[in-house]
Amino acid sequence: MAQEGLSRALRGTFRSIGAAPRPQCQRAIRQARRALLPSTARCISSTAPRPAELISETREPFTAAPPINFDAQDAAQGARGRDVKVILKNLRVVPASPSYFSAKPTFNDDYIKLTALLRKVATLPTVPNSEAPKVAWKGIDEYRIMTNEPVKTQRFHKMLHIVRRLNTIHPSLMPEEVTIAMQRYKKASQPGDVKPNPGVIDELGRAKGVGRRKTSSAVAWLVDGEGEVLINGKTLAEFFGRLHDRESAVWALKATHRLDKYNVWGLVQGGGVTGQAEALTLAVAKALLVHEPALKPALRRAGCVTRDMRKVERKKAGHVKARKMPAWVKR
């Protein structure tokens, strides 16, 4: 009966398609499709209530795993060794380090520890980089030797960026754990470790300074006076014939307008006249800083504080001079 009713519906549909205009044909085709397809209830909106029949058909029974009761297992096992085995069988062992499965985990461990430490102290007040303590950090070659790992340069710089950020924490609020962590990345010798011996004014009111330039060395003593200068027992004009060398010898006093306030007595040896004059410049400047330490910025601007390390380059074998080569002759 069902097949006979279906064939009658199809015949009626085809007759209506042939007799109707085009829009009605399409409507009839849609009606035929609805007649052929089985009627199914569909839920269009996820928020609309679903029929009770569909809920009962689609839901599957679900039961959560019961919690592990170790006390009951202990009573059932009886022996202590068996209890431990059961506990270990049910527990999941977590590696101590996140990089447990890597071949060389030292760098990863260092980076993870620094990142966690930075998150912990991120809210502490900081100072600008110019005011942070001056620290000489290890280079990538030193770190590779220390960890015995081929660390990439980019990854090392990322880690060093975190270390520099930790170094900007205010010194009065610096946690001890941060200080201990940063010690691993510092060089053995720091800029502030080597400090020169402080200058002392002796009982006669003299301050001593030592200077060197090229192969010349000079020692100068400064004492309050009227501006007299003696070098190796001679006056300044007698010892230095050139005006430029005379100005170089007492340039520290001239740059700070102290020519008529101190007397200078100097001893020089080695090198030439220019080297001796510039060695005296550094010696007089150091002696002047003992008397007046506040003049250091002015002396630094005048170029009297820093030692000039330049020297004459040595002659090489086969050369005419240090770099000059003999003329090349074809024949």
Side-chain angles (χ1 to χ4, degrees):
M1 295 294 293
Q3 293 181 356
E4 184 179 354
L6 180 61
S7 61
R8 288 178 183 176
L10 286 175
R11 285 196 221 100
T13 302
F14 292 142
R15 289 196 201 96
S16 62
I17 289 172
R22 191 170 188 81
Q24 295 181 2
C25 292
Q26 294 179 358
R27 193 181 307 114
I29 292 171
R30 287 197 297 269
Q31 292 176 359
R33 287 177 180 173
R34 292 195 195 100
L36 292 173
L37 293 175
S39 60
T40 56
R42 291 183 299 175
C43 185
I44 304 301
S45 176
S46 60
T47 59
R50 301 180 64 183
E53 298 83 359
L54 292 177
I55 294 175
S56 60
E57 292 176 1
T58 55
R59 282 187 177 178
E60 297 179 357
F62 175 78
T63 305
I68 299 173
N69 190 354
F70 293 105
D71 297 333
Q73 291 182 2
D74 293 346
Q77 295 293 333
R80 184 176 179 82
R82 294 180 181 178
D83 298 345
V84 174
K85 290 181 180 179
V86 171
I87 294 174
L88 292 178
K89 185 177 181 180
N90 293 328
L91 294 180
R92 175 178 175 268
V93 179
V94 179
S97 170
S99 55
Y100 173 78
F101 297 102
S102 57
K104 295 185 176 181
T106 309
F107 173 80
N108 292 334
D109 289 344
D110 291 345
Y111 188 82
I112 291 169
K113 289 177 182 177
L114 289 174
T115 307
L117 189 60
L118 180 59
R119 286 198 301 266
K120 185 177 180 181
V121 300
T123 57
L124 293 178
T126 59
V127 297
N129 291 329
S130 58
E131 300 178 11
K134 303 298 180 184
V135 179
W137 305 107
K138 290 181 179 179
I140 185 170
D141 295 329
E142 295 175 278
Y143 186 78
R144 284 171 178 169
I145 294 172
M146 180 179 70
T147 59
N148 194 23
E149 291 186 21
V151 182
K152 293 184 179 180
T153 306
Q154 185 179 6
R155 302 185 70 191
F156 176 76
H157 287 321
K158 284 184 179 179
M159 185 182 67
L160 205 60
H161 178 73
I162 299 176
V163 177
R164 291 196 180 104
R165 167 62 178 82
L166 293 173
N167 190 47
T168 59
I169 298 174
H170 200 282
S172 61
L173 302 174
M174 180 73 72
E176 185 178 359
E177 57 180 341
V178 176
T179 306
I180 297 172
M182 289 193 302
Q183 195 66 35
R184 174 178 172 81
Y185 308 98
K186 293 181 180 179
K187 287 187 176 180
S189 60
Q190 294 297 317
D193 292 346
V194 180
K195 295 182 179 179
N197 296 327
V200 179
I201 300 175
D202 60 9
E203 62 277 0
L204 300 177
R206 297 175 301 181
K208 180 183 177 181
V210 179
R212 292 179 179 84
R213 174 73 173 99
K214 296 183 181 179
T215 57
S216 305
S217 60
V219 182
W221 286 268
L222 248 70
V223 64
D224 293 336
E226 297 81 19
E228 297 181 3
V229 180
L230 284 177
I231 301 171
N232 288 1
K234 299 179 181 179
T235 62
L236 189 64
E238 291 175 355
F239 194 83
F240 295 112
R242 295 174 59 217
L243 180 62
H244 179 73
D245 294 337
R246 298 175 198 168
E247 288 185 352
S248 297
V250 292
W251 176 245
L253 298 175
K254 187 175 182 179
T256 55
H257 306 287
R258 299 293 192 279
L259 277 174
D260 56 348
K261 187 177 179 181
Y262 296 100
N263 291 342
V264 181
W265 180 47
L267 295 175
V268 295
Q269 61 180 0
V273 178
T274 304
Q276 291 176 353
E278 295 184 6
L280 269 173
T281 304
L282 183 59
V284 173
K286 288 182 178 179
L288 181 59
L289 285 175
V290 177
H291 283 284
E292 301 182 50
L295 292 176
K296 187 169 184 178
L299 290 173
R300 186 173 293 281
R301 286 193 298 269
C304 303
V305 177
T306 307
R307 158 91 154 90
D308 194 346
M309 301 299 295
R310 294 177 298 173
K311 289 186 177 182
V312 178
E313 190 174 350
R314 67 174 288 272
K315 181 186 177 299
K316 281 82 175 180
H319 291 208
V320 178
K321 295 194 296 182
R323 300 193 181 187
K324 184 180 179 182
M325 295 285 288
W328 178 76
V329 182
K330 187 174 182 179
R331 294 179 182 87

